[in-house]
Amino acid sequence: MIDDRVPLSPGARRLDFGDRWEYAPAPEASDYVKVKSRYELFINGRFVRPRSSKYFESINPATEEKIAEIAEANARDVDLAVRSARRAYEKIWSKRSGRERGKYLYRIARLIQEKSRELAVLETMDGGKTIKESRDIDLPLVAAHFFYYAGWADKLEYAFAGRKPNSLGVAGQIIPWNFPLLMAAWKLAPALACGNTCVLKPAETTSITAMQLAEIFQQAELPEGVVNIVTGAGETGRAIVDHPKIDKIAFTGSTEVGKQILKTVAGTKKKLTLELGGKAANIIFEDAPIDQAVEGIISGIYVNQGHVCCAGSRLFVQEGVFAPVIQKLRDRIATLRVGNPLDKNTDIGAINSRMQLDKICELVDSGLKQGAKLVQSPARLPARGFWYPPSFFTGVTGSHRIAQEEIFGPVLSVMTFRTPEEAIERANNTPYGLSAGVWTDKGSKIFKMVSKLRAGVVWANTYNKFDPTSPFGGYKESGFGREGGLHGLLPYLTLT
Ligand code: NDP
């Protein structure tokens, strides 16, 4: 830990977070959760062995223990999944009324609610995120997305006045590992509501809850082939993108892979939406309520170990409040509890994979080499598993890699500014444009900033708030197309 404590003025008070008390362990029960030793592919309503005959391991990143084996779909498996989705589209799903489709989606939403505790535990075990987030954020939002789009299924004619909505056909959907079930819900719920069928590929490190979702589809008696789930790595994703019988590709993941997909899809009839990376500016003005803003910084960058595309990973603090903000932030990160993600008191869980941990370490090293100062929480990290303590850099300049590249971990880059114009200029000085945050007491300043920031979502005096009714998506290299809300229907329809 590098000490660069910023002095406060004499007599300045500091918050006492009560660290004289130690929390008793409060682990969430997990022994009742039935994890299969092996998960197959979900094609045409059934669990089937992969034609590839290959399986890969999914491990718990908090313990490095193997949880299960997951089938690896090859191009032949993807082809079977696409054929099944095509059949289901032509013979069943496109012929069902919106009311009927909505009925299934409501059923799925209710089943998710019923099983939410078990799904939250599995999400935490497989991905490393804390149980308090998977239980209180991910799962309620997953169910809410299915409920929300269930409501739209029979009202599409009213959604776009004077236009006739038509489904597209088969949607190929590829999702990342940071919010596995939530990303699946963001993709599947609107696609199904609009009358499309789906072939979904979860990320390699977090496939288990997608397969649990497949069981829910069976229980909801969703007609065979309407949703197919193929697990595997990048090659499986590529086979979906390349498949000629797919009408729509929806991808969430890195900008690098997004660009490859864009090239592949160019010149074909496939519709495309891309939800890619971000390097959001979280801007704190001198007139902001500082204690609340510090909580906003915490929820902006340390939630989900910083594995959040819209994380407020570049903090811009107006010069006059730099010292107190840094002091409070330093005090606050020291209280964040890092460790067993299944413990209900844990704030920071495990990093999703060794690969991601290596990427975080490499970028932090680059920050140190380029001259920034690192402040880290003194949290003791567990001996096994993948961990990174909550950290932030000061002394960052706009040209540092840590100010430009997505770290996708619990590491914040702090910079300062003097005027709103400078904040806007520097906030927009990034190839990304996914999200931003503004903290100020003045409503007029909020409106000014929001109209000038080139970001798909701008939060004011809050951060990382989500709702199914609210569209989400980016500008520039953060992608195009919107998920959520009325806008989230458009990527799955043509309007005539
Ligand atoms: P990747 O782009 O590597 O992977 C995303 C998904 O695409 C995974 O399912 C992956 O499979 C698959 N994939 C990998 N290579 C290919 C390929 N050539 N063709 C088709 N599919 C492929 O990103 P990460 O999984 O590492 O996720 C982190 C990134 O995602 C971050 O940059 C983050 O910003 C971004 N993200 C954006 C969000 C948004 O809404 N804008 C939300 C969440 C994350 P596999 O995992 O098996 O390799």
Side-chain angles (χ1 to χ4, degrees):
M1 187 177 103
I2 294 172
D3 196 75
D4 72 342
R5 191 166 287 258
V6 177
L8 285 179
S9 54
R13 287 178 304 160
R14 291 176 60 183
L15 286 177
D16 178 355
F17 289 98
D19 53 4
R20 287 173 218 96
W21 295 83
E22 189 41 71
Y23 285 75
E28 175 76 27
S30 57
D31 45 2
Y32 69 95
V33 175
K34 291 181 209 75
V35 186
K36 291 184 186 156
S37 57
R38 187 174 256 201
Y39 288 87
E40 309 290 357
L41 306 174
F42 183 63
I43 297 177
N44 205 29
R46 279 183 289 277
F47 292 97
V48 296
R49 290 171 65 84
R51 295 290 164 118
S52 70
S53 303
K54 287 189 189 155
Y55 293 83
F56 59 93
E57 288 185 358
S58 194
I59 64 162
N60 180 339
T63 61
E64 296 179 60
E65 281 162 12
K66 174 176 156 185
I67 305 181
E69 284 181 358
I70 315 284
E72 186 181 317
N74 63 14
R76 176 87 183 101
D77 294 304
V78 168
D79 183 53
L80 289 174
V82 174
R83 283 168 193 273
S84 144
R86 171 69 49 200
R87 253 192 329 269
Y89 176 72
E90 278 161 12
K91 298 214 162 95
I92 308 169
W93 203 239
S94 62
K95 297 198 163 66
R96 293 278 159 103
S97 66
R99 191 156 172 255
E100 275 286 300
R101 296 196 304 269
K103 200 175 76 185
Y104 286 105
L105 291 175
Y106 278 123
R107 219 182 261 173
I108 292 163
R110 283 193 294 268
L111 282 165
I112 289 169
Q113 279 187 320
E114 255 171 49
K115 294 173 193 294
S116 67
R117 193 51 79 94
E118 186 181 353
L119 290 168
V121 170
L122 271 171
E123 198 79 312
T124 288
M125 286 168 65
D126 201 23
K129 64 169 62 201
T130 63
I131 188 70
K132 82 176 172 192
E133 284 170 21
S134 48
R135 182 196 60 192
D136 298 344
I137 300 174
D138 294 52
L139 261 299
L141 279 172
V142 172
H145 268 83
F146 277 100
F147 276 121
Y148 176 72
Y149 282 109
W152 272 122
D154 62 348
K155 301 175 196 70
L156 297 176
E157 281 78 14
Y158 306 101
F160 307 101
R163 312 285 299 275
K164 185 175 174 297
N166 311 290
S167 57
L168 302 174
V170 178
Q173 304 176 315
I174 301 167
I175 55 174
W177 42 262
N178 54 349
F179 292 90
L181 269 177
L182 187 56
M183 290 298 112
W186 280 23
K187 298 261 178 293
L188 294 172
L192 297 177
C194 293
N196 305 284
T197 57
C198 303
V199 176
L200 175 85
K201 191 198 92 65
E204 196 179 341
T205 55
T206 52
S207 303
I208 293 180
T209 47
M211 301 322 288
Q212 297 290 120
L213 198 56
E215 286 183 14
I216 287 177
F217 295 148
Q218 282 184 327
Q219 284 162 28
E221 295 177 7
L222 187 70
E224 289 166 2
V226 171
V227 175
N228 305 271
I229 303 181
V230 285
T231 44
E235 277 307 306
T236 311
R238 210 190 309 260
I240 293 177
V241 175
D242 287 344
H243 201 288
K245 292 275 160 48
I246 283 186
D247 304 290
K248 153 92 196 173
I249 296 289
F251 172 79
T252 298
S254 60
T255 296
E256 189 192 347
V257 173
K259 284 180 181 173
Q260 289 171 25
I261 292 176
L262 189 57
K263 280 187 198 152
T264 311
V265 168
T268 71
K269 285 189 181 152
K270 286 174 194 154
K271 256 186 117 167
L272 178 65
T273 40
L274 296 174
E275 297 278 3
L276 310 175
K279 190 77 184 171
N282 200 3
I283 303 167
I284 317 268
F285 283 98
E286 283 166 0
D287 57 14
I290 298 297
D291 288 330
Q292 285 170 38
V294 169
E295 288 312 305
I297 299 169
I298 299 290
S299 58
I301 184 68
Y302 301 116
V303 157
N304 201 29
Q305 297 71 250
H307 302 329
V308 182
C309 49
C310 50
S313 52
R314 286 182 302 151
L315 178 67
F316 290 97
V317 185
Q318 201 162 14
E319 266 185 13
V321 288
F322 178 71
V325 166
I326 291 299
Q327 185 63 69
K328 283 169 191 279
L329 187 58
R330 169 197 287 279
D331 290 349
R332 184 67 177 92
I333 65 168
T335 70
L336 294 174
R337 303 172 63 80
V338 186
N340 181 5
L342 276 173
D343 191 308
K344 290 165 203 149
N345 292 322
T346 298
D347 299 303
I348 311 272
I351 299 301
N352 182 266
S353 65
R354 184 176 294 284
M355 211 168 105
Q356 187 58 29
L357 180 59
D358 291 345
K359 185 181 156 195
I360 295 169
C361 293
E362 195 267 319
L363 273 160
V364 169
D365 280 350
S366 84
L368 290 170
K369 280 190 197 124
Q370 290 187 306
K373 282 188 177 172
L374 181 65
V375 180
Q376 280 191 331
S377 132
R380 290 219 339 257
L381 305 181
R384 289 200 73 186
F386 314 132
W387 310 96
Y388 204 85
S391 315
F392 64 86
F393 276 108
T394 57
V396 181
T397 70
S399 62
H400 286 166
R401 282 182 66 201
I402 51 168
Q404 293 182 345
E405 295 177 33
E406 211 178 18
I407 302 176
F408 225 56
V411 184
L412 174 69
S413 299
V414 188
M415 288 165 275
T416 56
F417 70 94
R418 287 184 184 164
T419 62
E421 288 68 29
E422 186 189 349
I424 292 163
E425 177 84 25
R426 297 182 63 192
N428 287 340
N429 185 14
T430 164
Y432 296 112
L434 193 56
S435 57
V438 179
W439 295 81
T440 169
D441 194 33
K442 304 278 180 296
S444 55
K445 211 184 273 175
I446 291 173
F447 286 124
K448 174 175 172 156
M449 297 299 290
V450 167
S451 65
K452 298 261 162 51
L453 290 169
R454 289 289 290 162
V457 180
V458 185
W459 287 287
N461 293 332
T462 187
Y463 207 94
N464 267 343
K465 288 281 182 289
F466 292 93
D467 189 280
T469 62
S470 177
F472 182 88
Y475 284 108
K476 301 193 283 185
E477 292 197 12
S478 291
F480 49 81
R482 295 292 177 262
E483 291 184 309
L486 180 73
H487 300 71
L489 295 167
L490 279 170
Y492 292 102
L493 292 170
T494 53
L495 298 175
T496 49

